[in-house]
Amino acid sequence: MIEGILLGLENIIQPIHLLILLLALFVGFLGGALPGISGTMLVIILLPISYGLGPIPAFILLTTIYAASVFSGLISAILFRTPGTPEAVATVLDGYPMTQKGLAGKALGIGIFSSAMGGIIGTLFLITLTPLLAAFALNFSSPEYFALAVLGLTVVVSLSGGKLILGFIGVAFGLFIASVGMDPLSGSQRFTFDSLYLVSGIDFIPVLIGLFAISEVMRRSKEDHTIKQEMKKVKTKVFDKEIISRVKYTILRSSLLGMSVGILPGVGATTAAMLSYSEATRWSKNPEQFGTGVPEGIAAPESGNNAAAMGAMVPLLSLGIPGSATTAVILGAFIMHGLQPGPMLMTNEPSLVYTIFIALLLVNVLIIVFAKPFISLFSKIMKVPYTALGPFIIIFCIIGTYAVRNSVFDIWIMLLFGIIGYYFDKLKFPLAAIILGVVLGPIAEVEFRRALLMSNGDITIFLTRPISATLIGLAVLALLVPLISALMKKKKV
């Protein structure tokens, strides 16, 4: 591990890598702070650009944006009662009341310090736990990988917003998209309808950009994103000894809780923030003060959500299971670069993995350094209307989609899925479920067929091997628990 950390440090201090990290830090700050632009959207938009980079600079870019955007959602949440990201929803509850009392600088300082501490604690656990989990997973063969992919697909339970049937339909649709093109084992054509454009399959990038970025621009273009309040000059104080002494145990407790929640596939940083806030209320001697502007009400969700964002990287890197919608996009980026996240990634690409670790650790440290200057700049950026930003986003999406395969057909696919995503979003359809099917579908299919070849067609191989049987059992349990709880609630009614 020490050798890997030194290797990661050696990579990250290269001038080009440091420059990419700093640029990505600013872009992530911007994406999280501006209502209407999320970190997930920015990762998706920059995915094609990362394709032209080597693996190390590409993943420095994507993971830095991911970490920075989770933090910066608190800025607009505290100042304008408008969370820049879903993870900052709980921060509004006490952050904005502090602003109303004239304590915006104090609230921002608490948020910056808590976010950085939560992220650092989360990253330290990420560095420690990922190799241990990956070492265990080295015992995996095709049956275990198939079972792991099935377990990953059950994340749809968490990402479907309570609409399990829609989640299953989304996964099925994603699996169908993934099956278009050449059969990975036999080489025969599937669902190509004699079209040369479909022989190589439907690429992951245009589907992803269309479903999330284009549909989001279409939806946001009909909303009013102008901030009604005028942003006044705010003096932010990060290191307030009295405040730090007051919230230090809240930060530690929330970071550990957030990390634990983040490791669970599909739960996400938003849930971690809400749980951290509720636990801070439970542990408080004055719970009635929460919601009126108390430091703990900012420290808890911010340390929790940043730790959870780092925690979501643990199952992604060690097992290849995305912990959230954004990490599902990053999983797609690995596959796009010809890499398969999972136990072999630590063995085959230790330099890349430890560079990601060090980059995430450095990002969370730099949050403390650059947050204050960014907040000053943010007052000027807020004057740009979304009607001006939206067209630029679409232009970047078109250029990025075309650049991956130099295909105009991919642009049409992107626009088609943009329309599909727009109307699916109106129906509250879980778009992340489609992405899960597209990303994990090929892995599940190939490993399933290889496992059957190993057993001469005996399907019981998945149940006779202890690890695969356990993983399939967990997948079944993940699907049955919400169904049973829903039935129990109906009986009580």
Side-chain angles (χ1 to χ4, degrees):
M1 185 181 290
I2 293 171
E3 186 181 337
I5 290 170
L6 292 173
L7 192 60
L9 278 169
E10 185 182 338
N11 286 329
I12 208 72
I13 60 174
Q14 292 184 28
I16 187 65
H17 292 164
L18 275 176
L19 179 62
I20 289 171
L21 186 140
L22 291 173
L23 287 172
L25 186 73
F26 174 74
V27 171
F29 278 177
L30 196 62
L34 279 175
I37 300 177
S38 65
T40 304
M41 183 191 285
L42 285 174
V43 170
I44 291 166
I45 291 169
L46 293 173
L47 202 56
I49 294 173
S50 76
Y51 186 63
L53 301 172
I56 288 176
F59 286 101
I60 289 174
L61 175 72
L62 298 178
T63 54
T64 298
I65 290 172
Y66 169 58
S69 63
V70 172
F71 148 74
S72 61
L74 72 86
I75 299 171
S76 49
I78 289 172
L79 295 177
F80 307 117
R81 204 184 180 187
T82 308
T85 58
E87 294 90 346
V89 169
T91 309
V92 171
L93 301 176
D94 280 275
Y96 188 66
M98 285 187 76
T99 298
Q100 289 178 310
K101 293 176 182 178
L103 301 172
K106 189 176 183 179
L108 287 168
I110 296 165
I112 292 166
F113 182 78
S114 303
S115 296
M117 290 300 103
I120 290 168
I121 291 169
T123 308
L124 292 175
F125 273 94
L126 169 66
I127 294 169
T128 306
L129 293 178
T130 302
L132 295 175
L133 201 54
F136 167 74
L138 283 173
N139 299 314
F140 287 14
S141 185
S142 288
E144 286 76 24
Y145 278 117
F146 168 73
L148 197 58
V150 171
L151 181 61
L153 289 171
T154 61
V155 172
V156 70
V157 176
S158 302
L159 299 180
S160 58
K163 298 180 179 179
L164 196 56
I165 295 175
L166 290 182
F168 278 126
I169 293 170
V171 166
F173 185 39
L175 291 172
F176 170 72
I177 294 168
S179 67
V180 174
M182 301 284 282
D183 184 296
L185 296 184
S186 70
S188 59
Q189 294 184 23
R190 304 184 302 193
F191 306 112
T192 57
F193 307 103
D194 295 324
S195 170
L196 291 175
Y197 295 112
L198 292 174
V199 170
S200 57
I202 296 175
D203 193 60
F204 171 76
I205 299 296
V207 174
L208 187 65
I209 292 177
L211 283 176
F212 284 92
I214 299 295
S215 65
E216 185 72 1
V217 172
M218 291 171 68
R219 184 175 72 84
R220 298 280 186 178
S221 63
K222 295 190 174 184
E223 297 177 2
D224 181 13
H225 294 285
T226 56
I227 299 296
K228 304 301 180 186
Q229 306 97 314
E230 186 178 336
M231 185 170 172
K232 299 175 183 177
K233 285 189 176 180
V234 177
K235 191 176 180 181
T236 307
K237 187 175 181 181
V238 177
F239 296 103
D240 187 323
K241 288 184 180 179
E242 185 183 340
I243 292 295
I244 291 172
S245 177
R246 178 173 171 176
V247 301
K248 60 184 178 182
Y249 294 116
T250 301
I251 290 173
L252 181 60
R253 182 175 60 248
S254 300
S255 298
L256 295 175
L257 177 61
M259 182 67 195
S260 303
V261 170
I263 290 174
L264 301 173
V267 179
T270 306
T271 305
M274 295 304 296
L275 284 173
S276 297
Y277 186 86
S278 64
E279 284 304 306
T281 308
R282 192 195 311 275
W283 284 73
S284 175
K285 294 178 181 178
N286 303 296
E288 70 282 353
Q289 292 182 2
F290 277 73
T292 63
V294 294
E296 292 87 351
I298 300 171
E302 282 307 313
S303 52
N305 62 26
N306 282 267
M310 300 302 100
M313 295 292 291
V314 174
L316 174 68
L317 294 173
S318 59
L319 301 175
I321 296 178
S324 62
T326 312
T327 50
V329 176
I330 295 173
L331 171 60
F334 274 107
I335 293 169
M336 187 176 73
H337 281 270
L339 302 167
Q340 178 57 58
M344 294 307 295
L345 189 68
M346 290 292 300
T347 304
N348 298 335
E349 301 288 341
S351 177
L352 171 62
V353 174
Y354 279 99
T355 302
I356 292 171
F357 290 163
I358 300 302
L360 289 172
L361 191 61
L362 185 57
V363 167
N364 284 294
V365 172
L366 290 177
I367 282 172
I368 295 175
V369 179
F370 290 108
K372 285 175 68 175
F374 175 78
I375 290 168
S376 301
L377 180 64
F378 184 63
S379 59
K380 297 178 178 65
I381 297 171
M382 286 303 296
K383 295 174 183 177
V384 180
Y386 194 79
T387 49
L389 291 171
F392 277 106
I393 292 172
I394 291 176
I395 290 168
F396 279 122
C397 289
I398 291 171
I399 293 170
T401 299
Y402 179 79
V404 174
R405 299 199 301 182
N406 296 327
S407 171
V408 176
F409 179 73
D410 283 351
I411 296 174
W412 289 113
I413 290 289
M414 177 197 72
L415 295 174
L416 172 64
F417 277 93
I419 296 168
I420 290 171
Y422 174 72
Y423 286 105
F424 274 14
D425 191 61
K426 278 192 165 187
L427 298 170
K428 305 296 181 185
F429 196 96
L431 298 178
I434 300 174
I435 297 303
L436 279 176
V438 173
V439 173
L440 295 177
I443 301 168
E445 179 193 2
V446 170
E447 300 300 346
F448 177 75
R449 290 166 68 180
R450 282 178 179 165
L452 290 181
L453 287 172
M454 285 171 56
S455 65
N456 293 319
D458 184 4
I459 202 166
T460 59
I461 187 173
F462 300 106
L463 301 176
T464 54
R465 295 169 68 99
I467 296 175
S468 63
T470 302
L471 291 172
I472 288 173
L474 289 171
V476 172
L477 195 63
L479 294 175
L480 288 179
V481 167
L483 290 174
I484 294 168
S485 62
L487 288 172
M488 296 291 285
K489 285 180 182 177
K490 282 185 179 180
K491 283 185 178 181
K492 286 180 181 179
V493 174

